Amino acid sequence: MANLTIVTEFILMGFSTNKNMCILHSVLFLLIYLCALMGNVLIIMITTLDHHLHTPMYFFLKNLSFLDLCLISVTAPKSIANSLIHNNSISFLGCVSQVFLLLFSASAELLLLTVMSFDRYTAICHPLHYDVIMDRGTCVQTATVSWLYGGLIAVMHTAGTFSLSYCGSNMVHQFFCDIPQLLAISCSENLIREIALILINVVLDFCCFIFIIITYVHVFSTVKKIPSTEGQSKAYSTCLPHLLVVVLFLSTGFIAYLKPASESPSILDAVISVFYTMLPPTFNPIIYSLRNKAIKVALGMLIKGKLTKK
């Protein structure tokens, strides 16, 4: 151990070092980041300014947009900057911060998506009791629990990952500090504790997914009983986008964390990570507003300046 150098920074080797590819990578990431930034900021503004949207569904949607902004801002700006200045290094403390904020955002977002599925279940399956079950206090409490859960998961994984020794290679084959890739370059022999934490987290995530599926089985069975086609269409327009977001977010996350770290990582590993760190924050505003009449109306009012006048 005396001959080994303690790592003080990491080199992010996610994409090609070719100059043209770096430019392409930075331009694509910048466009994706700006779209996510604009979409989520608009959602936050609309749901804050329009008093018609001060309902549980839009309260949770606003929280989701905050988390999406955090999720994509953790990875995208650093990756863009590294590509532009041709310097892929990140400090040890910067890497710790990335891991913590990424896990915090992703974990809190998953629990929030689970709460949102319960909100849709209550609204459609128990409409007469909806205002009682999903009152203001319940909404604030469940959102707070989601944020606290994200913080707890982030603290446990960050502490577990960086309590390991990094004294050999400092090359992370990813465009951000990702736990599986960090474990692959650790010189600690005992990785059982952190691997156990990952497996526990996967089980918790899977439980959230099962809960979401169960709620939507009940929702769709109730929707089928709605006599009017318009009523069915309205119910599907609020439920299907949410389900699509969950499937995209979880499936790519599971693949990234359960896939064994390869000794010669491919570009596919970085692409998979893009799907759960950058695409959900970009597509969430589009998915939730594309067929949502209330959001469209509020956006039109915002553009015309009527919301700000109010």
Side-chain angles (χ1 to χ4, degrees), residues 211-275:
F211 180 85
I212 291 169
I213 294 298
I214 291 172
T215 57
Y216 276 111
V217 167
H218 287 287
V219 165
F220 292 142
S221 63
T222 303
V223 169
K224 286 182 180 179
K225 298 174 185 176
I226 298 175
S228 68
T229 307
E230 185 181 349
Q232 288 185 356
S233 178
K234 185 179 178 181
Y236 283 129
S237 68
T238 59
C239 295
L240 287 176
H242 178 260
L243 196 56
L244 181 63
V245 168
V246 171
V247 170
L248 175 66
F249 184 61
L250 274 181
S251 59
T252 51
F254 280 151
I255 291 170
Y257 274 76
L258 294 180
K259 179 180 176 290
S262 172
E263 292 182 2
S264 55
S266 65
I267 194 72
L268 182 62
D269 294 320
V271 172
I272 290 172
S273 297
V274 168
F275 272 91

Side-chain angles (χ1 to χ4, degrees), residues 7-14 17 77-83 85-95 98 170-172 174-177:
V7 171
T8 57
E9 67 174 13
F10 295 97
I11 307 298
L12 303 176
M13 306 290 292
T17 54
K78 178 63 178 175
S79 184
I80 294 166
N82 283 354
S83 292
I85 63 176
H86 306 293
N87 179 8
N88 292 333
S89 66
I90 183 172
S91 67
F92 191 90
L93 185 59
C95 192
Q98 266 200 348
N170 67 339
M171 293 190 177
V172 179
Q174 191 54 271
F175 67 92
F176 63 95
C177 287

Side-chain angles (χ1 to χ4, degrees), residues 54-126:
H54 291 176
T55 62
M57 185 176 84
Y58 297 107
F59 170 77
F60 292 130
L61 184 56
K62 180 164 63 174
N63 276 267
L64 183 67
S65 291
F66 273 117
L67 290 170
D68 277 338
L69 282 175
C70 182
L71 181 61
I72 196 168
S73 296
V74 171
T75 57
K78 178 63 178 175
S79 184
I80 294 166
N82 283 354
S83 292
L84 291 176
I85 63 176
H86 306 293
N87 179 8
N88 292 333
S89 66
I90 183 172
S91 67
F92 191 90
L93 185 59
C95 192
V96 173
S97 301
Q98 266 200 348
V99 169
F100 176 83
L101 291 172
L102 183 72
L103 286 168
F104 165 74
S105 307
S107 300
E109 181 161 329
L110 177 58
L111 195 58
L112 189 65
L113 288 169
T114 307
V115 172
M116 290 173 74
S117 72
F118 179 73
D119 173 67
R120 291 300 82 210
Y121 162 78
T122 309
I124 293 170
C125 297
H126 303 284

Side-chain angles (χ1 to χ4, degrees), residues 273-292:
S273 297
V274 168
F275 272 91
Y276 79 91
T277 59
M278 296 187 67
L279 290 193
T282 307
F283 284 119
N284 278 355
I286 299 170
I287 289 171
Y288 280 109
S289 61
L290 197 61
R291 295 185 63 188
N292 191 308

